[in-house]
Amino acid sequence: MEKTKEVKFNEGRAKGTDRSSKPPIIKNLRLKHHTANSTSSTTAYIQILGIGMDTHDTMPSILLFFDKQRFIFNAGEGLQRFCTEHKIKLSKIDHIFLSRVCSESIGGLPGLLLTLAGMGDGLSVNIWGPSNLDLLVDAMKCFIPHHAMVHTNIISHTGPLQVDNFHSSASVAIKFKDVKISAIVLQPNGVEGSDVKLSDMSVIYVCELHESKGKFHKEKADALGIKVKTKFRELTEGKSVKSDLLDITVHPSDVMDAPIPGPVVIVVDCPTNSHAQELISTQSLNDYYSDSSCQLQSSKIVNCVIHLGPASVVNSSHYKKWMNKFTSAQHIMAGCVMKEVQNPILKSSARITERLNYLCPHLFPPMSSASDHNFLREDSTSKLSNAIFAENLLKFIFRPHARLGFDRSDVPSSLPTSAVIDELLLEIPDIIDARQHVSQLWQKPTATNKFANSIPDSKSLIDEPILDENSPPCLENIRRDDLEITFLGTGSSQPSKYRNVTAIYFNLFSNGSLLLDCGEGTLAQLKRRYGREGAENAVRHLACVWISHIHADHHVGLVRILALRRDLLKGVPHDPLIVIGPSQLKHFLDAYQRLEDLDMQFLDNKATTAASWETFEFDNEPNKAVTSTSSLEESCLQGSSKRLKLSVPVDNVATFALLNRLKNVLNKAGLERLISFPVVHCPEAFGVVLKAADRINSIGKAIPGWKVVYSGDTRPCSETIEASQGATILIHEATFEDGMAGEAIAKNHSTTKEAIDVGNSAGAYRIVLTHFSQRYPKIPVLDELSMHKTCIAFDLMTINLADLHVLPEVIPYLKLLFRTEMLIDNSDDHVVEADL
């Protein structure tokens, strides 16, 4: 009924993570079958892990909890960060069930596998899902470490994976110590055989807890002459015994209440109305319907049904009719666009963002609400039998039986901004004066705060910048709608409570936008910063996405971005999005596109080096090569024995055409050039230069375009210094503090001082530090003497090109804000936990 497969990842390829110097291992797990007579857990519940329930960017995950074992249903983006925030440890999660294999349900799976693999000697993990699960595993081979192994379980009707063997009634049952989980494959109504697309397959999971023993009555045993205490135990184990005082046989039913039937919960993912029609006609759930004669005999009473489908499906009349077949069940409506949720999931991050906004609203705009008028509203619940909307951390208790039902004790309360600020004022009274001083940095008649709440398509911002005598010529007559840079993630390795993993959003306003790196949770961060509409505008108008290297904390969020853009532009004439990245990323994207179309074209970083652009410009015909290299590349290649030589001629017709298209895309975005350069981190790791086109001011004077350099992950190197010559902004990784140079060298990262020295050597006007180790959850350790042209990046921080002059002056006030938190935070903020 199911096909199990042991998969070895990435054999013979480079490591796909820099989380640890020790390669993580995912061990194979063999299933152990247990009978219903095994000792059951005293505590059991199912809980909503509200991934995406404040930003509506992905499916929520579901936790099925027992004393000794945990099960996760779906692993959307942000799962690890959510679990860290709410102290839900991951060490006993060894089974992950996927209702579908798509970007909404699996975005957090790669990071979760890496984390589970990195715990000790590696934890065992099983993944269960429909037939396209194998395609996902194949895609992840590109960056999961080559030692890692995962045990995949393909849920199908029978035999090996073949599309024409699938039927909607196909099911498979899996027995565990505390629960039996049955999987029912669901396909769209009216689609048969070879017409079934792998991406259309969905799985319903039915979880049946084993029955609980009835209460043992000692007084009844005494009355029947049972004196030997060992016989009490035998009776509770279901064995009959001889009375010690009477000539009778005592049966368990004589001294015990009847067994309590095991609770039943169903997780339903019905993505379309076609699936809903098939769901109604399926025979596999007949035993669980309240009006079924079979149910009366089997006592399979469904206690809870969790609905993951969208509002457009679950709010339909025929779906509601199907729901009403479970008259005794409580229904939890958990679809990712089901209801607007105002309470932030990541309270720790939201609290810091609000404190930063109070101090400096110019750099830290308020978080936006992900409101949506198309949500299924509260008044719809009156039409649904026993239905409630899901809440973050809502539980349904199964055991102990006396507590059967909902438990809202863990549901987060609201986080009023006023309460956060009152707490701040009480903690740091000096912050009132600091806020006024920071505000005065922007006090010029031509500088206003109206930009702070703008969304990416704003076109009306024309204020003059704040300049000084040291400002570079490119900032003359700069407009506030020329460029702003938003840091969507500023942490390294894996998400934490306070910092998401790497992603930088370049908003060029009417000229479009770009993404540099795209770690897990990038889309959610866009929605927190710009709101749902603003984030969708940003994704819709992306000119290109550039990825620095293959490590998971830099690219795992890309699929979700591409899938959303595809959906937003469906039916609208458009070109595929250009994705620029290392060659290993192409292997991942090509493999993943067998799951779902990502509507993209890939261009290797090596094709966008200075030498490749020179080749492209020199000869406008394909299939010709040039051996010369630019001074930039010559510098990049000096002393770089650990990196590839990148004098790759543009001799491929497809590459030539795509470079030509990229040049046109960049020109439309007001950019003169995008140049990738090699850095010292891992094979095929790159930094990038973005250079704006020159412009002419109102009196005909030529003004050079701004230049922004992003280092990616790297040791300090001549390539970055050369590329950053005269940069308006250098965004440089600063993973470690100065006292950890040895660690930085071992992991090919930079310290804060090393990053600043690179910028100073290159004569960069401003240096922005990012990619901090999660050992610095709120603010890194800083050297006061080195900060005269430097700023620290925080998640959701927005830097407008017109505000560069004031950036270093804000640093002392940021240090005041975090003066009690400058030391390393405790281990509670780390994602990986050793125990549960």
Side-chain angles (χ1 to χ4, degrees):
M1 299 294 261
E2 80 273 5
K3 182 179 72 173
T4 60
K5 181 179 179 182
E6 183 177 281
V7 180
K8 186 169 184 178
F9 280 114
N10 208 27
E11 189 165 7
R13 293 190 178 135
K15 294 178 184 177
T17 179
D18 61 350
R19 296 189 178 192
S20 157
S21 58
K22 181 178 181 180
I25 297 174
I26 299 181
K27 294 181 178 178
N28 176 39
L29 175 68
R30 298 299 179 187
L31 290 179
K32 295 181 179 179
H33 293 266
H34 299 269
T35 67
N37 293 326
S38 300
T39 303
S40 297
S41 293
T42 58
T43 303
Y45 57 80
I46 200 160
Q47 185 173 35
I48 305 294
L49 304 186
I51 311 309
M53 289 185 64
D54 63 344
T55 54
H56 309 285
D57 60 294
T58 190
M59 268 189 199
S61 297
I62 312 296
L63 170 67
L64 181 57
F65 177 98
F66 298 99
D67 292 333
K68 300 295 184 181
Q69 198 167 35
R70 321 287 187 264
F71 304 91
I72 287 283
F73 295 85
N74 291 332
E77 281 195 13
L79 175 59
Q80 285 190 87
R81 198 176 186 200
F82 180 92
C83 290
T84 302
E85 171 79 13
H86 298 286
K87 302 188 188 326
I88 299 171
K89 302 183 178 82
L90 301 170
S91 61
K92 291 210 170 77
I93 296 173
D94 54 13
H95 289 273
I96 301 167
F97 296 86
L98 304 178
S99 62
R100 279 184 288 145
V101 182
C102 62
S103 62
E104 289 180 284
S105 60
I106 59 90
L109 184 59
L112 180 59
L113 290 178
L114 287 168
T115 295
L116 291 174
M119 292 180 178
D121 292 328
L123 291 181
S124 300
V125 63
N126 263 253
I127 308 175
W128 303 80
S131 53
N132 48 358
L133 174 58
D134 267 351
L135 301 180
L136 173 64
V137 171
D138 288 343
M140 290 192 298
K141 288 179 182 179
C142 305
F143 57 90
I144 299 292
H146 70 280
H147 288 87
M149 298 175 68
V150 66
H151 197 76
T152 59
N153 301 269
I154 305 300
I155 299 172
S156 61
H157 176 50
T158 175
L161 178 63
Q162 291 195 9
V163 173
D164 57 6
N165 281 340
F166 280 93
H167 301 284
S168 62
S169 60
S171 64
V172 56
I174 317 144
K175 288 188 177 181
F176 300 97
K177 179 179 183 295
D178 292 289
V179 64
K180 181 181 80 171
I181 299 177
S182 301
I184 301 170
V185 177
L186 191 68
Q187 69 184 39
N189 179 258
V191 182
E192 303 243 347
S194 59
D195 293 331
V196 178
K197 296 179 182 177
L198 295 179
S199 58
D200 287 338
M201 306 309 299
S202 180
V203 178
I204 298 169
Y205 292 102
V206 181
C207 308
E208 301 177 65
L209 280 68
H210 303 315
E211 67 179 23
S212 300
K213 297 172 183 176
K215 181 180 178 181
F216 177 80
H217 296 278
K218 182 178 181 299
E219 66 277 9
K220 291 184 179 182
D222 290 340
L224 294 172
I226 305 297
K227 297 301 180 184
V228 179
K229 290 186 177 180
T230 57
K231 292 184 178 181
F232 292 172
R233 186 184 63 198
E234 292 181 65
L235 286 166
T236 61
E237 292 174 351
K239 300 175 183 178
S240 299
V241 300
K242 293 288 292 183
S243 170
D244 298 308
L245 301 179
L246 304 174
D247 188 20
I248 59 173
T249 299
V250 180
H251 303 286
S253 59
D254 297 329
V255 295
M256 296 181 66
D257 290 341
I260 302 171
V264 178
V265 60
I266 301 177
V267 180
V268 182
D269 181 5
C270 200
T272 70
N273 284 314
S274 293
H275 287 85
Q277 293 170 19
E278 188 67 18
L279 176 65
I280 293 169
S281 62
T282 186
Q283 304 297 308
S284 300
L285 290 169
N286 282 354
D287 289 350
Y288 302 93
Y289 296 145
S290 300
D291 57 359
S292 169
S293 59
C294 298
Q295 190 202 43
L296 297 176
Q297 299 172 8
S298 63
S299 298
K300 291 182 177 180
I301 299 175
V302 177
N303 301 89
C304 180
V305 183
I306 300 176
H307 304 267
L308 299 178
S312 60
V313 175
V314 302
N315 202 28
S316 63
S317 58
H318 57 276
Y319 194 91
K320 291 179 187 176
K321 183 178 179 180
W322 175 79
M323 289 174 60
N324 286 328
K325 293 185 177 185
F326 303 96
T327 56
S328 61
Q330 295 288 337
H331 295 273
I332 302 177
M333 319 308 292
C336 65
V337 292
M338 194 65 61
K339 179 193 173 191
E340 182 179 349
V341 178
Q342 297 293 346
N343 296 344
I345 286 179
L346 304 174
K347 278 195 171 186
S348 300
S349 175
R351 177 176 169 272
I352 283 185
T353 300
E354 288 174 352
R355 290 161 69 104
L356 287 165
N357 168 254
Y358 175 83
L359 176 65
C360 184
H362 297 82
L363 298 180
F364 303 98
M367 293 175 64
S368 296
S369 169
S371 59
D372 184 345
H373 64 278
N374 292 322
F375 291 136
L376 184 63
R377 297 295 183 184
E378 290 281 3
D379 55 10
S380 299
T381 59
S382 61
K383 302 176 183 178
L384 304 175
S385 176
N386 300 323
I388 67 168
F389 288 110
E391 298 175 86
N392 299 322
L393 295 176
L394 174 69
K395 289 180 183 176
F396 192 94
I397 303 290
F398 299 121
R399 294 203 173 103
H401 188 265
R403 294 179 57 199
L404 183 70
F406 289 115
D407 179 358
R408 290 183 170 85
S409 60
D410 291 338
V411 173
S413 58
S414 60
L415 186 70
T417 299
S418 58
V420 175
I421 302 308
D422 289 345
E423 176 191 60
L424 173 62
L425 298 180
L426 186 63
E427 177 187 332
I428 310 175
D430 296 348
I431 205 69
I432 298 175
D433 291 336
R435 182 177 190 245
Q436 185 175 3
H437 293 156
V438 170
S439 177
Q440 290 172 355
L441 299 176
W442 273 267
Q443 291 305 312
K444 274 187 125 185
T446 55
T448 71
N449 189 30
K450 68 179 179 178
F451 180 70
N453 294 317
S454 66
I455 61 174
D457 60 351
S458 176
K459 301 177 181 179
S460 60
L461 306 169
I462 57 174
D463 298 330
E464 292 290 329
I466 303 172
L467 301 178
D468 65 2
E469 63 277 6
N470 297 318
S471 297
C474 66
L475 296 182
E476 182 181 336
N477 297 127
I478 200 76
R479 294 163 52 103
R480 299 191 68 87
D481 59 349
D482 278 353
L483 171 67
E484 72 172 15
I485 302 171
T486 296
F487 292 85
L488 302 175
T490 56
S492 66
S493 183
Q494 53 194 335
S496 74
K497 284 166 62 172
Y498 304 103
R499 293 184 185 272
N500 201 48
V501 286
T502 305
I504 307 172
Y505 172 67
F506 278 63
N507 182 12
L508 300 166
F509 297 92
S510 59
N511 288 331
S513 59
L514 293 88
L515 271 174
L516 303 186
D517 280 334
C518 193
E520 179 183 339
T522 293
L523 177 57
Q525 292 290 85
L526 272 173
K527 291 190 174 186
R528 291 185 181 104
R529 168 60 180 88
Y530 293 109
R532 177 177 175 273
E533 183 179 351
E536 290 184 354
N537 261 334
V539 173
R540 187 182 286 112
H541 295 111
L542 279 173
C544 69
V545 178
W546 182 91
I547 304 297
S548 61
H549 62 291
I550 196 63
H551 287 159
D553 56 330
H554 291 259
H555 74 84
V556 167
L558 177 59
V559 164
R560 192 74 197 97
I561 292 287
L562 294 175
L564 175 61
R565 181 182 181 273
R566 173 203 65 207
D567 294 341
L568 292 173
L569 296 176
K570 190 172 292 183
V572 178
H574 68 280
D575 292 319
L577 184 66
I578 297 176
V579 174
I580 305 167
S583 59
Q584 304 104 310
L585 181 63
K586 182 179 189 300
H587 299 318
F588 168 66
L589 294 174
D590 286 347
Y592 189 92
Q593 286 204 115
R594 296 167 62 199
L595 279 172
E596 56 181 327
D597 177 33
L598 296 179
D599 191 24
M600 51 76 62
Q601 289 180 303
F602 183 85
L603 187 60
D604 196 308
N605 287 121
K606 293 191 290 291
T608 60
T609 61
S612 295
W613 279 116
E614 184 175 321
T615 299
F616 173 80
E617 299 289 355
F618 182 84
D619 194 336
N620 202 31
E621 293 182 18
N623 302 318
K624 290 193 177 181
V626 171
T627 57
S628 62
T629 57
S630 67
S631 60
L632 172 60
E633 189 183 42
E634 287 173 356
S635 172
C636 290
L637 293 177
Q638 290 175 4
S640 56
S641 60
K642 295 179 68 175
R643 295 173 299 288
L644 298 174
K645 287 197 172 185
L646 301 179
S647 53
V648 178
V650 183
D651 58 356
N652 179 284
V653 173
T655 300
F656 188 93
L658 193 51
L659 268 178
N660 192 59
R661 189 180 155 227
L662 174 62
K663 182 180 179 181
N664 292 332
V665 166
L666 295 175
N667 287 342
K668 288 181 182 178
L671 299 177
E672 180 181 282
R673 191 59 57 89
L674 179 156
I675 301 176
S676 300
F677 58 91
V679 295
V680 184
H681 182 57
C682 67
E684 295 194 56
F686 293 85
V688 68
V689 178
L690 295 176
K691 173 71 167 60
D694 296 348
R695 50 198 168 86
I696 306 296
N697 67 8
S698 57
I699 60 173
K701 177 185 175 183
I703 299 176
W706 49 261
K707 175 181 177 180
V708 178
V709 179
Y710 168 49
S711 71
D713 285 6
T714 183
R715 288 289 299 147
C717 59
S718 59
E719 293 89 338
T720 306
I721 295 173
E722 178 68 21
S724 304
Q725 291 296 315
T728 315
I729 306 174
L730 168 62
I731 302 170
H732 201 291
E733 72 117 293
T735 308
F736 296 104
E737 64 182 281
D738 296 341
M740 298 189 69
E743 189 95 356
I745 293 170
K747 297 189 175 182
N748 277 337
H749 283 297
S750 299
T751 66
T752 53
K753 185 177 186 304
E754 287 174 334
I756 293 169
D757 287 346
V758 169
N760 288 335
S761 297
Y765 175 60
R766 288 291 177 257
I767 306 163
V768 181
L769 305 180
T770 187
H771 197 268
F772 302 110
S773 167
Q774 303 296 10
R775 69 177 59 240
Y776 317 114
K778 297 173 185 176
I779 190 168
V781 179
L782 302 171
D783 175 9
E784 192 74 46
L785 299 177
S786 304
M787 304 304 292
H788 66 283
K789 60 162 64 173
T790 306
C791 187
I792 309 160
F794 292 83
D795 278 22
L796 305 183
M797 177 183 186
T798 295
I799 297 174
N800 192 281
L801 205 61
D803 294 333
L804 294 184
H805 168 63
V806 301
L807 286 186
E809 300 183 56
V810 179
I811 289 292
Y813 303 101
L814 293 176
K815 295 179 75 170
L816 171 66
L817 186 66
F818 295 102
R819 68 183 179 186
T820 62
E821 304 169 20
M822 295 290 287
L823 299 177
I824 297 175
D825 209 358
N826 59 46
S827 61
D828 193 41
D829 290 319
H830 291 264
V831 174
V832 177
E833 299 283 355
D835 215 340
L836 214 150

